[in-house]
Amino acid sequence: MLAVDMAGDSVRAKNGSMVAYDGRMAFKKLSGGGEGIRGMVTRRLTGEQMVMMEVKGEGTCFFADRASEISLVSLHGDKLYVEASNLLCTDGGLRTGTSFTGLRGGASGNGLFTTTVEGTGMAAIMSDGAAVVLRVTPQYPLSVDPGAYVAHQGNLQQNLQSGVNFRTIMGEGGGEAFQMRFEGDGLVYVQPSERNTVGGDV
């Protein structure tokens, strides 16, 4: 559970994620993830659905969703890429949008687009189990199972690589048909659990 202390400011949170609050709070459902009509149309076309609400007031508001683990990500003018289903809430001043991710989304079953959060402030992301933050450097690229991927930030390039080879077809491989490969300089957040993916086991 995440406790957010507010003094007249606002946060954007996953619709329905408020579990309790004290003080005075006002709640307003936001269209298109809080990105207005254009955002609503874009999200409908891309399939990256996200229903958010704006919370304003004074006091403490508590957020949670399906007992998921919550990690705070600090942004300083940079951009966070996160699956819409893994985004719990953001500071009111952060901007959200959608970004084309290529074939990675096709493997994870979440479409070809992902949600972006950018600006200066804090974002709370959710994971099934405590998220692990892995550092990527030019010398040490990283490969991740698409079902365990949660988010990433920094100057990273990503692509989908197939783990299918003769051993996989014969049933002697590790069972991972695809991996996401990250190169560059940044951070990748993974969860110690795998969601079902379209790629699945071969």
Side-chain angles (χ1 to χ4, degrees):
M1 187 180 307
L2 176 68
V4 179
D5 294 320
M6 301 171 65
D9 47 345
S10 68
V11 298
R12 293 180 177 184
K14 185 174 184 177
N15 199 46
S17 63
M18 184 278 293
V19 295
Y21 69 89
D22 59 34
R24 296 183 177 181
M25 298 287 169
F27 301 86
K28 177 183 176 184
K29 185 176 178 181
L30 299 173
S31 300
E35 299 150 29
I37 298 298
R38 181 177 179 184
M40 184 170 59
V41 171
T42 300
R43 287 189 176 275
R44 221 162 257 211
L45 290 173
T46 61
E48 182 70 359
Q49 297 298 324
M50 182 175 67
V51 182
M52 303 289 283
M53 62 181 176
E54 182 180 59
V55 184
K56 285 184 178 180
E58 296 182 358
T60 303
C61 196
F62 298 87
F63 300 98
D65 186 51
R66 299 183 316 267
S68 298
E69 294 280 344
I70 300 169
S71 302
L72 294 177
V73 179
S74 181
L75 297 175
H76 303 280
D78 52 331
K79 187 181 290 188
L80 173 73
Y81 297 83
V82 57
E83 297 289 354
S85 60
N86 293 104
L87 182 61
L88 178 63
C89 67
T90 71
D91 284 341
L94 291 174
R95 300 177 305 280
T96 57
T98 54
S99 177
F100 179 70
T101 59
L103 293 176
R104 178 201 60 78
S108 66
N110 293 326
L112 299 176
F113 294 81
T114 195
T115 292
T116 58
V117 182
E118 59 184 315
T120 299
M122 300 293 289
I125 59 176
M126 300 179 293
S127 56
D128 185 6
V132 178
V133 185
L134 302 174
R135 180 82 190 178
V136 180
T137 67
Q139 296 81 17
Y140 294 98
L142 177 70
S143 294
V144 174
D145 185 305
Y149 169 81
V150 174
H152 74 272
Q153 66 183 131
N155 185 22
L156 293 175
Q157 298 80 45
Q158 66 178 59
N159 59 68
L160 188 71
Q161 61 184 18
S162 172
V164 177
N165 56 33
F166 182 74
R167 290 176 59 84
T168 306
I169 294 171
M170 296 302 293
E172 298 176 0
E176 306 298 343
F178 298 96
Q179 294 95 39
M180 296 165 61
R181 183 175 174 86
F182 292 91
E183 298 178 340
D185 188 8
L187 302 173
V188 178
Y189 299 80
V190 298
Q191 61 186 8
S193 173
E194 296 180 52
R195 65 176 72 84
N196 290 330
T197 63
V198 172
D201 294 350
V202 173

